[in-house]
Amino acid sequence: MEPLSFKVKKLQAPTDISVDFSLQLVGSLPVHSLTTMPVLPWIVAEIRRLSMPSSMEEPSTSQIRLYVSPASLRCGLDTGKSQQWDPLICSSLFEYKPQHVHKLIHNSHDPSYFACLIKDGAVNQQSICYVFRAADQTKVPEIISSIRQAGKIARQEEFQNNLSDVEDPFSKKFEVLFCGRVTVAHKNAPPALIDECIEKFNHVSSTKKLEFNSLSQQRETANNSGGLSFSDKLRSVFQPLVSEEEEKRPIRKSYSQPGLPSFSFKRDFQDGSCRSNSFASSFDETETSLNLKRQLSYGHNVVQPTDIAGNRTMLFTIGQSEVYLISPDTKKVALEKSFKEISFCSQGIRHVDHFGFICRESSGNGDCYFVCYVFQCTDEALVDEIMMTLKQAFTVAAVQQTSKAQLQLCEGCPMQCLHKLCEKIEGLHPSKTKLELQKHLTTLNNQEQASLFEQVQKLRPRNDQKENELIISVLRNMYEEKQKDHVHIWEAKQASQPSGETTGNEMPSSAPRFRLDMLKSKAKRSLTESLESILSRGSKTKGSLENSGSVDLDSSLSSTLSSTSKEPSVCEKEGPLPPETPAKTNGSVGDLSSDPVSHPIEQPDKLPQQGFRRRANTLSHLPIECQESLEPVETSPSILQRKLMSDYESKQSQLDVGNDTPVRTRRHSWRQQIFLRVATPQKGCDSPSRYDDYSELGDLPPRSPLEPVCEDGPFGPVKEDRKRTTRELRELWQKAILQQILLLRMEKENQKLQASENDLLNRRLKLDYEEITPCLKDVTLVWEKMLSTPGRSKTKTDMETIHSAVGQGVPRHHRGEIWKFLAEQYHLKHQFPSKQQPKDTPYKELLKQLTSQQHAILIDLGRTFPTHPYFSAQLGAGQLSLYNILKAYSLLDPEVGYCQGLSFVAGVLLLHMTEEDAFKMLKFLMFDMGLRKQYRPDMTILQIQMYQLSRLLHDYHRDLYNHLEEHEIGPSLYAAPWFLTMFASQFPLGFVARVFDMLFLQGSEVIFKVALSLLGSHKPLILQHENLETIVDFIKSILPNLGLVQMEKTINQVFEMDIAKQLQAYEVEYHVLQDELIDSSLNDNQRMDKLEKANTSLRKQNFELREELQVANGKIQNLEATVEILLNNECKLKQSILTLELERKALLQTVEDLRVQTGSPGGKHLLTRQECMDAN
């Protein structure tokens, strides 16, 4: 699945560049919209015949240039200069969207020709077939690949546009937990399927746990014994052991996610389960395709529970015609299924909080199987709502499909008859094709047979091939005319039913005619089948003689390889084949608009003497006598086939010798082929790598049998060298491995560069707003210095410096880091956190849980910054990240949950930092800055804030307050969004960013300052309006859109205001007035009771305070006694110090006297040493 991304203005990608090809337009022909792939080669033959004059053997063509791009498929006349298409210079022959290219055909017999069927539903549901010819036949696969790639990109863009359509009235989203998936045997299932799937998940998880436990025990015993057994050594080579991280992951112990209320039966599973597959691998087809193919081939069910340690939450979105699962964690579409692919939906019986659906998926070999996806919801009510929404969506889609009245094929449709005829004669020799056509003509009436015979004889075909082409052309025109007046079977059944009670037994006149025609066609079909069975019995005995007596190489080989019976696959037995699904045969590129999942492919039976039937020779139209090159037979040939093939190879070798061609093919061993592909890939050879570019787009373009298989070097045959030694081969292998490792490293580096480029582009997109206060370079350097301080989270910074820096401006590209820095400084200033702190639950763990607030959050996602490019895409990366933050906070703070306005606060934070950092800052603002109080369900704090704002207006702007009161305009009419969204819902982002700068610095009082400054600075304009509607409209609409100068002036005024004391006084005043209001509403008895209760509580508090006072007095007395003791000890110590100082002075004087008395040098030296000791 492609990631859901937002629209970005970026440079033109390489896939957006238009490519052009110089071609020859052979011709075109309008055909019916129900034309299938088997009919298309005959239409191409008719186009070539119509474009070919009678005097020329080559068709008359016009030189054109085909421009291919995801925007359009344009064809214009070739002027001979390869220049960009200009509508003023070049004339356009036709122009279509690349996704309207319905089918492409390229026959390997004549590789220079190809055709495309363009389905244009705008004009009477007609299709047009164009046939082109390329001068270089090797360019045809590239042209087809370019058209397919352009169509693929265009369809993806259409899907993204439909997905990002915010105005989808039916799209509903639900948050679910993805439990896992199980392959089932049938498209329908009993109601107990969901319960059985959950039991299988637990059983598989338990088995995995036992295997891991046994493996760990084996490793412990091997480590204790000092070695590994032989089986362990093999396992260590081919199967990596479980890592320590995987062993430490939690174990699935119950049916539901831990932390969610389980509504299932109370069963105790003592044997828990370990993780089986990761969440990503549960959806990754490339990782599980081999396992699926292997187990499906043996008829085993594949059970894949999800990893309980990973984030399994998904957004289950129900659209108008499809359902898709979006992962908020990876920001990608994990699963997308149309309603046509879903065959069963059910809710759990015992596990009522679970539901699931069965859908069809395809494997790599063309088979299909059915998979049941199981999900869990928060409660049973949500599951009921999802099931009701699915039922409503299916009903609406069915009604819309019926209202469109698209043409479909039934068994009696003339175009279906033509499809079966062309499918039957596909690949047959012209003589046998002619015989089958004659059998089919017997089903027509006499008039139709005469008309067809007359038209064919007029043109006088030269051989059987030309005659067959003319017959098919006449039949096609005849059946297309019949199809216009055809009544389908279901329409006939509806017409045959009584239209009402008043009509009685009246029936439409067309119904009996239709029944008569059906009876005639059935009778003719049964007669034809009986004749064919009689002829087939005789042909079995004469087949070998006819083949041995044949002289024509083409006729003999094609008669042996012609007939191939087709058996429907398992998926086709479940339901009929869609009418527009062509039979995929050699030489056809396939249906571009068909889905490989919804249209299974027919598989021919492998008969012992039958090869792969090739496409009929309708695209080349070479005379039969000139056809000598045939396609190689891949199956084991019979004796006659081997003889013919040997004769053919000898003829080819003689032809090569006659032409003096020096090319001599040499077969390489399989090791040499691998080496040549890895070490020195041959660009000139026709290796499978040549068509790697086309492998992603469906069927590969068939190779031409006339093109020689190049197994040598690009410049000629490889000379016979001596056999390489083992050492040389080992060195070559080492070189190839090193080159592969280098390529992998380069690819990883490219991915890192691409990721960094996407991050940079994403960051530029987020910061796409106009700054209010431009930040000078000197101020930016100050901020960078503060941010680069080592250990800044533990180092206090001078608040005056921070205030000055914030006032001068904040650089936009550093704003997120500066907000985190201000939060760190707040925590350093307030060492003791607030009383109400949330649980320290990791952000990743919160994302793994389901929230009961999902509906409110999902509704507000589209209303949050709807014009900003990061949030504009529905369920894009921005909306999914915002959903994760709001969901995590609703789980972290159940009391608040989610409130309108939080999405804008989280959105502003998300624009400046990562998702996890934005969640941390939201938690800081709510709990540390005190914003949480105003989002409580009772909204009491918001009412107090409205009163405080009114009092501020009364004290600072009395005339404005009186004017608003005169017109009965309270603050809740205009200021409530300001407080709940921090001005983000109405004001420009640049202004809101400056408000958040001050909010992180000064706290919630900034909101009052900004509101008071805005109203005060625009007071003259507000006073000019004289009614309620105009005043409120001015404050809500005109006030936020004023100039940048006025907004910067408002920000400067905020830095100079100090209203903290007033706000505290107004809050106390509000509570006093509230108590007085409550008292005024009471009578005397109630007032007395209240006063008695208050007196009792006060007495109790007084008694408690007295006890506390006595305890405090006792502590004070003890402390005073301790202080007296310490003072006495201090005096004693001071006296001891004085005594010691006097003694020291006396000793020094004695030493001096002794030194004077002894005049010897030794004594003097001794005294000096003693003095030094005394000094120390």
Side-chain angles (χ1 to χ4, degrees):
M1 292 292 168
E2 294 294 326
L4 289 174
S5 59
F6 37 82
K7 297 181 180 179
V8 187
K9 294 181 180 179
K10 58 182 181 179
L11 296 177
Q12 195 175 22
T15 55
D16 299 335
I17 300 175
S18 174
V19 293
D20 58 281
F21 304 95
S22 179
L23 301 171
Q24 295 178 0
L25 179 61
V26 179
S28 62
L29 189 67
V31 296
H32 200 274
S33 60
L34 299 179
T35 302
T36 57
M37 182 60 77
V39 187
L40 195 56
W42 300 96
I43 296 175
V44 175
E46 183 179 357
I47 294 174
R48 294 185 62 180
R49 179 178 56 83
L50 294 176
S51 63
M52 185 183 301
S54 58
S55 60
M56 298 177 61
E57 296 184 357
E58 291 294 331
S60 61
T61 59
S62 57
Q63 195 71 21
I64 57 95
R65 186 167 290 275
L66 187 66
Y67 300 89
V68 182
S69 67
S72 65
L73 180 69
R74 187 185 303 108
C75 178
L77 295 176
D78 191 2
T79 59
K81 299 179 182 179
S82 59
Q83 58 183 2
Q84 190 175 4
W85 188 82
D86 187 359
L88 300 177
I89 303 174
C90 306
S91 59
S92 178
L93 298 179
F94 64 83
E95 182 176 359
Y96 298 96
K97 293 183 178 180
Q99 60 266 34
H100 289 169
V101 179
H102 189 51
K103 292 179 177 67
L104 286 168
I105 182 171
H106 175 217
N107 195 287
S108 60
H109 190 75
D110 198 347
S112 60
Y113 287 88
F114 73 96
C116 63
L117 182 65
I118 299 176
K119 200 168 187 178
D120 189 6
V123 185
N124 299 326
Q125 295 183 346
Q126 284 289 330
S127 299
I128 302 177
C129 181
Y130 291 93
V131 179
F132 302 94
R133 181 182 181 185
D136 186 4
Q137 63 184 20
T138 60
K139 293 290 185 180
V140 175
E142 180 183 354
I143 300 172
I144 293 177
S145 174
S146 301
I147 297 175
R148 291 177 65 91
Q149 185 70 15
K152 180 180 179 181
I153 296 173
R155 282 188 291 272
Q156 289 178 353
E157 290 179 354
E158 277 188 352
F159 171 73
Q160 294 293 340
N161 294 334
N162 295 334
L163 195 62
S164 60
D165 187 7
V166 184
E167 299 179 358
D168 187 1
F170 193 78
S171 178
K172 292 188 177 181
K173 298 171 280 293
F174 307 91
E175 188 187 33
V176 297
L177 277 179
F178 175 60
C179 299
R181 65 180 185 178
V182 180
T183 58
V184 294
H186 199 266
K187 62 181 180 180
N188 294 323
L193 173 67
I194 306 302
D195 300 326
E196 295 176 0
C197 290
I198 297 173
E199 293 177 359
K200 287 182 179 181
F201 293 154
N202 287 277
H203 176 70
V204 171
S205 301
S206 302
T207 306
K208 291 291 183 181
K209 178 192 174 184
L210 295 176
E211 291 179 358
F212 289 144
N213 290 337
S214 62
L215 185 60
S216 60
Q217 291 176 1
Q218 291 179 5
R219 286 197 298 167
E220 290 178 359
T221 56
N223 293 333
N224 295 332
S225 62
L228 293 174
S229 62
F230 180 73
S231 60
D232 292 335
K233 291 180 180 179
L234 288 178
R235 189 181 294 110
S236 65
V237 174
F238 294 102
Q239 181 180 357
L241 299 178
V242 184
S243 62
E244 295 181 359
E245 295 180 359
E246 293 175 344
E247 289 181 348
K248 293 179 181 178
R249 294 219 175 180
I251 297 173
R252 181 189 299 273
K253 296 181 179 179
S254 64
Y255 297 112
S256 59
Q257 169 78 7
L260 290 177
S262 178
F263 297 89
S264 61
F265 267 172
K266 300 298 181 181
R267 283 189 182 179
D268 295 332
F269 277 88
Q270 300 298 334
D271 51 345
S273 59
C274 193
R275 70 189 192 96
S276 171
N277 294 311
S278 65
F279 168 75
S281 64
S282 298
F283 282 111
D284 193 357
E285 297 293 338
T286 58
E287 295 183 10
T288 59
S289 59
L290 295 177
N291 186 23
L292 286 173
K293 290 179 182 178
R294 182 171 61 252
Q295 299 193 32
L296 286 172
S297 61
Y298 292 101
H300 296 165
N301 288 336
V302 181
V303 181
Q304 294 177 322
T306 52
D307 180 15
I308 197 173
N311 188 359
R312 304 182 298 151
T313 56
M314 307 286 292
L315 288 181
F316 184 76
T317 306
I318 304 174
Q320 293 185 351
S321 61
E322 71 282 331
V323 297
Y324 41 90
L325 298 173
I326 302 174
S327 172
D329 189 22
T330 60
K331 312 295 188 298
K332 295 181 180 179
V333 178
L335 181 70
E336 179 190 3
K337 294 294 177 183
S338 62
F339 290 165
K340 296 179 181 179
E341 301 174 76
I342 299 176
S343 59
F344 174 82
C345 294
S346 177
Q347 181 181 2
I349 298 176
R350 292 177 299 171
H351 307 82
V352 293
D353 55 340
H354 289 72
F355 76 97
F357 60 85
I358 296 178
C359 61
R360 182 174 56 186
E361 295 189 0
S362 63
S363 58
N365 55 3
D367 295 334
C368 66
Y369 55 94
F370 297 97
V371 179
C372 178
Y373 291 89
V374 183
F375 306 92
Q376 181 187 1
C377 298
T378 53
D379 51 15
E380 181 182 1
L382 184 60
V383 178
D384 295 337
E385 185 179 356
I386 292 176
M387 299 303 293
M388 187 63 66
T389 306
L390 284 172
K391 182 178 179 181
Q392 180 184 1
F394 291 155
T395 305
V396 172
V399 172
Q400 291 179 353
Q401 187 72 15
T402 305
S403 63
K404 290 180 181 178
Q406 295 181 350
L407 290 178
Q408 296 180 355
L409 290 175
C410 65
E411 290 297 328
C413 281
M415 294 303 295
Q416 177 71 2
C417 183
L418 180 63
H419 165 73
K420 291 182 177 180
L421 174 62
C422 295
E423 195 176 39
K424 189 175 183 180
I425 64 177
E426 186 178 12
L428 296 182
H429 189 265
S431 59
K432 290 193 174 184
T433 302
K434 182 178 180 180
L435 180 61
E436 293 293 338
L437 290 177
Q438 290 176 356
K439 293 178 184 178
H440 181 77
L441 293 179
T442 57
T443 61
L444 304 178
N445 55 36
N446 296 332
Q447 183 179 359
E448 292 173 346
Q449 291 182 12
S451 175
L452 189 145
F453 180 77
E454 181 180 358
Q455 294 183 34
V456 172
Q457 290 301 321
K458 282 183 179 179
L459 299 175
R460 296 179 181 179
R462 294 179 297 176
N463 48 38
D464 292 342
Q465 178 68 23
K466 299 295 183 183
E467 183 177 351
N468 296 337
E469 294 173 3
L470 291 175
I471 293 174
I472 293 294
S473 176
V474 177
L475 285 176
R476 184 183 63 81
N477 294 328
M478 184 186 303
Y479 285 148
E480 286 183 358
E481 291 296 328
K482 284 186 176 182
Q483 187 69 36
K484 295 179 181 179
D485 302 330
H486 174 66
V487 180
H488 295 288
I489 294 177
W490 55 84
E491 295 177 357
K493 289 182 180 180
Q494 294 176 358
S496 62
Q497 297 176 356
S499 59
E501 288 80 359
T502 57
T503 57
N505 295 326
E506 291 182 358
M507 297 185 66
S509 60
S510 60
R513 295 180 183 176
F514 173 75
R515 291 183 176 179
L516 183 61
D517 294 339
M518 288 295 296
L519 291 175
K520 288 181 180 179
S521 62
K522 288 182 179 179
K524 291 180 181 180
R525 192 180 303 113
S526 61
L527 180 61
T528 305
E529 291 176 355
S530 61
L531 291 174
E532 288 179 356
S533 62
I534 295 173
L535 293 174
S536 62
R537 294 174 185 173
S539 62
K540 288 182 180 178
T541 58
K542 300 180 182 180
S544 59
L545 296 175
E546 292 177 357
N547 291 334
S548 60
S550 177
V551 179
D552 190 1
L553 178 63
D554 189 6
S555 62
S556 62
L557 185 57
S558 61
S559 63
T560 309
L561 307 178
S562 59
S563 60
T564 303
S565 61
K566 298 185 178 180
E567 180 182 356
S569 61
V570 178
C571 298
E572 292 173 282
K573 292 179 182 178
E574 299 293 340
L577 181 71
E580 295 186 8
T581 303
K584 300 288 181 82
T585 55
N586 187 25
S588 64
V589 178
D591 193 350
L592 299 182
S593 61
S594 63
D595 190 358
V597 177
S598 60
H599 301 287
I601 303 173
E602 297 181 356
Q603 294 181 346
D605 293 340
K606 297 181 179 179
L607 299 179
Q609 294 185 359
Q610 291 177 350
F612 185 69
R613 187 173 66 189
R614 59 186 175 85
R615 176 70 71 188
N617 298 328
T618 55
L619 194 56
S620 59
H621 302 293
L622 295 177
I624 301 176
E625 294 79 11
C626 300
Q627 296 178 359
E628 294 182 0
S629 60
L630 298 174
E631 295 182 4
V633 182
E634 296 178 0
T635 58
S636 59
S638 62
I639 299 174
L640 177 61
Q641 291 173 347
R642 288 197 296 269
K643 180 179 178 181
L644 293 174
M645 291 170 68
S646 61
D647 295 340
Y648 173 71
E649 289 176 358
S650 62
K651 290 181 180 180
Q652 289 294 108
S653 61
Q654 292 175 5
L655 181 62
D656 292 341
V657 171
N659 294 334
D660 296 333
T661 56
V663 178
R664 182 172 57 86
T665 61
R666 179 176 63 84
R667 294 284 179 180
H668 295 286
S669 66
W670 61 274
R671 290 188 179 88
Q672 291 172 343
Q673 291 177 358
I674 295 175
F675 171 73
L676 290 174
R677 285 198 297 269
V678 175
T680 55
Q682 307 296 330
K683 296 182 180 179
C685 68
D686 195 305
S687 61
S689 61
R690 175 181 173 183
Y691 297 94
D692 285 344
D693 296 335
Y694 313 123
S695 59
E696 298 178 357
L697 307 175
D699 299 335
L700 296 177
R703 304 179 186 176
S704 172
L706 301 177
E707 192 173 354
V709 179
C710 176
E711 295 183 355
D712 298 316
F715 304 106
V718 179
K719 296 183 179 180
E720 291 289 347
D721 296 334
R722 63 179 177 84
K723 187 176 181 180
R724 299 181 184 272
T725 61
T726 305
R727 182 178 179 181
E728 292 175 347
L729 292 175
R730 187 179 293 110
E731 291 178 354
L732 290 174
W733 272 104
Q734 290 177 355
K735 181 181 178 182
I737 292 171
L738 290 176
Q739 290 180 354
Q740 190 68 19
I741 293 174
L742 181 61
L743 289 175
L744 292 175
R745 289 179 179 176
M746 293 175 64
E747 185 177 356
K748 289 182 180 179
E749 292 297 328
N750 290 334
Q751 291 177 356
K752 291 180 181 179
L753 292 174
Q754 185 67 27
S756 63
E757 183 179 355
N758 293 337
D759 292 341
L760 181 61
L761 184 63
N762 194 11
R763 190 174 179 183
R764 289 179 180 176
L765 185 71
K766 286 182 176 182
L767 301 178
D768 185 15
Y769 61 83
E770 189 174 3
E771 193 69 72
I772 298 297
T773 305
C775 187
L776 300 178
K777 186 176 181 180
D778 296 339
V779 182
T780 304
L781 294 176
V782 172
W783 280 117
E784 290 177 351
K785 183 179 180 181
M786 284 191 288
L787 294 176
S788 61
T789 303
R792 71 179 192 188
S793 60
K794 299 180 181 179
T795 305
K796 288 186 178 181
T797 307
D798 185 21
M799 292 306 297
E800 293 295 333
T801 305
I802 296 177
H803 272 273
S804 175
V806 173
Q808 294 177 6
V810 175
R812 179 167 45 184
H813 55 283
H814 289 316
R815 179 163 271 136
E817 286 295 323
I818 291 172
W819 289 350
K820 291 191 287 184
F821 170 73
L822 295 177
E824 293 168 357
Q825 293 298 315
Y826 178 87
H827 286 144
L828 291 175
K829 184 178 180 181
H830 303 81
Q831 296 291 340
F832 300 99
S834 59
K835 297 180 181 180
Q836 295 180 346
Q837 283 294 323
K839 297 179 180 179
D840 193 11
T841 307
Y843 178 68
K844 296 295 183 182
E845 294 298 324
L846 293 172
L847 293 182
K848 297 177 184 178
Q849 305 175 25
L850 296 178
T851 177
S852 59
Q853 307 285 335
Q854 55 174 291
H855 286 298
I857 297 174
L858 290 170
I859 289 174
D860 284 348
L861 288 181
R863 304 171 181 173
T864 306
F865 299 114
T867 59
H868 196 279
Y870 185 64
F871 296 106
S872 60
Q874 186 184 18
L875 294 184
Q879 288 193 6
L880 292 176
S881 298
L882 183 60
Y883 175 80
N884 287 338
I885 296 174
L886 299 175
K887 164 193 165 181
Y889 184 81
S890 67
L891 294 169
L892 182 71
D893 189 4
E895 183 184 358
V896 173
Y898 173 75
C899 179
Q900 283 188 341
L902 272 178
S903 59
F904 284 94
V905 179
V908 174
L909 297 174
L910 187 60
L911 290 176
H912 295 87
M913 56 188 72
T914 61
E915 186 178 311
E916 189 169 357
D917 291 338
F919 173 74
K920 292 179 181 178
M921 291 299 101
L922 177 64
K923 187 168 63 172
F924 168 77
L925 290 176
M926 297 292 285
F927 287 93
D928 294 317
M929 287 296 180
L931 297 183
R932 178 179 176 273
K933 298 180 293 184
Q934 67 185 24
Y935 294 103
R936 287 177 179 173
D938 54 2
M939 293 287 181
T940 303
I941 301 300
L942 185 63
Q943 296 177 7
I944 297 175
Q945 290 173 341
M946 297 297 102
Y947 176 79
Q948 290 172 324
L949 181 60
S950 297
R951 290 289 284 111
L952 287 172
L953 285 175
H954 179 273
D955 293 346
Y956 286 91
H957 305 285
R958 181 68 61 87
D959 50 352
L960 178 60
Y961 172 80
N962 295 331
H963 185 70
L964 294 176
E965 287 294 325
E966 182 182 353
H967 295 88
E968 299 181 354
I969 300 175
S972 58
L973 289 178
Y974 58 87
W978 295 355
F979 283 83
L980 292 176
T981 66
M982 310 298 145
F983 300 91
S985 61
Q986 298 175 356
F987 286 81
L989 268 175
F991 180 79
V992 175
R994 291 295 289 159
V995 173
F996 271 73
D997 295 340
M998 296 179 292
L999 182 65
F1000 277 95
L1001 184 64
Q1002 300 179 5
S1004 58
E1005 66 179 65
V1006 169
I1007 309 173
F1008 294 96
K1009 295 180 182 180
V1010 175
L1012 187 63
S1013 177
L1014 285 172
L1015 295 173
S1017 60
H1018 299 89
K1019 180 170 59 175
L1021 297 177
I1022 298 175
L1023 294 175
Q1024 293 178 2
H1025 299 280
E1026 296 297 335
N1027 55 64
L1028 184 144
E1029 290 81 5
T1030 56
I1031 294 174
V1032 174
D1033 182 68
F1034 176 82
I1035 296 176
K1036 285 187 175 182
S1037 303
I1038 302 176
L1039 183 63
N1041 295 323
L1042 295 178
L1044 300 179
V1045 177
Q1046 186 63 41
M1047 291 183 180
E1048 186 175 359
K1049 181 180 178 181
T1050 301
I1051 298 297
N1052 295 331
Q1053 290 178 358
V1054 169
F1055 274 98
E1056 299 174 357
M1057 296 173 64
D1058 186 11
I1059 56 174
K1061 294 181 180 180
Q1062 290 93 321
L1063 292 176
Q1064 293 178 0
Y1066 297 154
E1067 185 175 359
V1068 174
E1069 183 180 320
Y1070 176 84
H1071 289 295
V1072 171
L1073 292 174
Q1074 189 178 24
D1075 294 339
E1076 292 179 355
L1077 182 63
I1078 294 174
D1079 293 340
S1080 62
S1081 61
L1082 301 176
N1083 53 27
D1084 295 338
N1085 294 330
Q1086 291 175 346
R1087 189 178 294 108
M1088 289 295 295
D1089 294 338
K1090 182 180 178 182
L1091 290 175
E1092 288 180 358
K1093 289 180 181 180
N1095 190 17
T1096 304
S1097 62
L1098 289 175
R1099 286 179 180 177
K1100 185 177 180 180
Q1101 290 178 7
N1102 189 16
F1103 180 74
E1104 292 175 353
L1105 290 174
R1106 283 181 179 179
E1107 289 183 349
E1108 292 179 0
L1109 181 60
Q1110 291 177 0
V1111 173
N1113 290 330
K1115 289 182 179 180
I1116 290 172
Q1117 291 177 0
N1118 294 332
L1119 291 173
E1120 287 178 352
T1122 305
V1123 168
E1124 290 179 358
I1125 293 171
L1126 292 174
L1127 289 174
N1128 293 330
N1129 292 333
E1130 184 183 2
C1131 292
K1132 292 179 181 179
L1133 290 173
K1134 287 181 179 180
Q1135 291 177 359
S1136 300
I1137 290 171
L1138 291 174
T1139 304
L1140 291 173
E1141 287 181 352
L1142 293 173
E1143 186 179 356
R1144 179 176 178 276
K1145 289 180 179 180
L1147 291 173
L1148 289 174
Q1149 184 64 34
T1150 304
V1151 170
E1152 185 67 26
D1153 295 342
L1154 291 174
R1155 187 177 57 184
V1156 171
Q1157 293 176 3
T1158 59
S1160 62
K1164 186 178 181 180
H1165 179 71
L1166 180 62
L1167 292 174
T1168 307
R1169 181 181 299 176
Q1170 186 67 31
E1171 290 176 359
C1172 292
M1173 293 176 61
D1174 293 338
N1176 292 331

